[in-house]
Amino acid sequence: MGMTYKEAYSWGTKSSDGEWSGATGMLVNNEADLAATALLLIPPLMSVIAYTTPVGSTKTRMYIKRPSSTVVNWEKYTLPFSGGIWASVGLLMVICSGTIVVVNSASKNLPQSDRDEYFSSRFSEIMFLVFGAFCSQGLQQSTVDPVRIIHVVVHLTALVVLSAYSAYIISFLAVNSFIMPFTTMEGLLQDGTYKFAVVNDSADSFLFEVTTDKILKKLRDDVMLNPEELPRNYLEGLQKICEKEKLAMVAVDYMAKNSKHKLDCTLEPLDAIMQVTVAMAVNKKSPYRGIINSK
């Protein structure tokens, strides 16, 4: 006895009149004995069809196209140092400037020959000169030894800080990195610029229809593409991500992994929505279930 193959264009969902479509509908209506595809094990389907022994476990999550690394990120110029280090550098400049002011003020009592030819006790002016030293500029030469010592400390510290900063900033700019706009469903919703898609007439779309989760319901009502725009399968949906900007796609991990070589862009996963089990399916009274499970 030969075998007859029938093609279903969707996994199938339940319509408003209670009828099932796609591969699920073919099983329910005894039009097929086996759905030779990976179906998600979800309670609504388990009530109308029977599953074979699970063939694997995976996670359902959203995928987006990797953000461009060419976008200017001004934070990179401050990231080499932490806030505490920047504050320490600023405090050191203030202390050195204040010390020079005190020494210059005290040098008024020195003999004329021991005073600086260029004399200033204005804190703002000296602070500007010290800041210039940290930017690799020179300082006005002093004839007062304590001020000279402070100048040496300023120049050596500036040399160390500049060397460390230069090394870090070069590594930051040389590495081709990117920043994810969000990593969660809530983040996608708050971003407000993305749309998302699920496979049409699939367990994923059915879960969004019956979900009681507030975030998922909000996503379904405000962010999901119109039904006529939804892809027919995972590959088509993942290809849409590469073609369109600001589009996310709900997919299971193993399908996203298996589709990588067919895509023109790099995908980035968001946090998992749920852990799911996949299996093939037969109709409720199928005599072939035991045979399939044993093999």
Side-chain angles (χ1 to χ4, degrees):
M1 188 176 80
M3 297 182 66
T4 301
Y5 296 90
K6 293 185 178 181
E7 184 176 359
Y9 293 98
S10 67
W11 281 276
T13 57
K14 190 176 183 180
S15 63
S16 57
D17 58 4
E19 296 294 324
W20 288 87
S21 62
T24 304
M26 295 173 69
L27 294 176
V28 172
N29 299 323
N30 292 318
E31 298 174 7
D33 295 310
L34 170 69
T37 185
L39 293 173
L40 304 186
L41 272 72
I42 59 175
L45 289 179
M46 295 174 69
S47 64
V48 294
I49 60 175
Y51 288 94
T52 64
T53 300
V55 297
S57 179
T58 186
K59 291 181 179 180
T60 297
R61 69 178 81 230
M62 284 198 186
Y63 286 83
I64 63 173
K65 181 165 64 175
R66 176 176 291 182
S68 173
S69 59
T70 59
V71 177
V72 175
N73 179 17
W74 295 108
E75 290 184 356
K76 284 186 176 181
Y77 295 96
T78 58
L79 285 176
F81 291 158
S82 65
I85 295 179
W86 284 117
S88 298
V89 172
L91 180 61
L92 179 63
M93 287 192 286
V94 172
I95 292 174
C96 290
S97 301
T99 305
I100 293 174
V101 169
V102 172
V103 173
N104 280 345
S105 298
S107 66
K108 292 179 181 179
N109 301 322
L110 296 175
Q112 184 67 34
S113 59
D114 293 331
R115 298 181 188 177
D116 284 335
E117 294 181 5
Y118 174 79
F119 177 83
S120 175
S121 295
R122 295 179 60 185
F123 178 81
S124 58
E125 186 175 345
I126 295 176
M127 181 69 184
F128 181 77
L129 294 174
V130 171
F131 177 77
F134 275 83
C135 297
S136 300
Q137 301 299 309
L139 281 169
Q140 180 69 33
Q141 186 175 0
S142 175
T143 59
V144 180
D145 289 340
V147 175
R148 287 183 174 183
I149 294 174
I150 298 172
H151 285 183
V152 171
V153 172
V154 168
H155 281 295
L156 290 178
T157 305
L159 178 63
V160 173
V161 170
L162 182 61
S163 300
Y165 179 83
S166 299
Y168 272 102
I169 197 65
I170 289 172
S171 65
F172 268 106
L173 296 176
V175 175
N176 189 16
S177 60
F178 63 92
I179 298 177
M180 290 286 286
F182 45 79
T183 58
T184 64
M185 301 297 98
E186 188 174 3
L188 185 149
L189 185 61
Q190 292 174 350
D191 180 83
T193 62
Y194 274 74
K195 291 287 188 178
F196 89 94
V198 295
V199 175
N200 196 22
D201 282 345
S202 67
D204 296 327
S205 62
F206 187 75
L207 286 175
F208 273 89
E209 290 177 10
V210 301
T211 183
T212 57
D213 184 87
K214 292 182 179 180
I215 297 296
L216 297 185
K217 288 176 66 176
K218 188 73 173 174
L219 284 169
R220 178 197 64 197
D221 296 337
D222 299 345
V223 187
M224 185 185 289
L225 293 178
N226 296 325
E228 61 272 12
E229 299 179 281
L230 295 178
R232 293 176 299 172
N233 52 59
Y234 285 124
L235 178 59
E236 181 182 327
L238 296 173
Q239 288 174 337
K240 280 181 177 291
I241 295 179
C242 296
E243 297 169 1
K244 296 184 178 181
E245 294 295 331
K246 306 288 186 177
L247 179 64
M249 172 71 190
V250 177
V252 290
D253 285 348
Y254 79 92
M255 285 301 301
K257 181 179 180 181
N258 293 340
S259 302
K260 282 184 177 180
H261 66 285
K262 300 178 181 180
L263 303 177
D264 298 328
C265 66
T266 302
L267 302 181
E268 290 297 330
L270 304 187
D271 292 348
I273 300 175
M274 67 181 74
Q275 182 84 26
V276 294
T277 302
V278 295
M280 294 186 292
V282 295
N283 56 49
K284 272 289 188 180
K285 299 180 180 179
S286 174
Y288 304 112
R289 184 184 181 190
I291 297 174
I292 296 171
N293 287 341
S294 66
K295 299 297 181 179

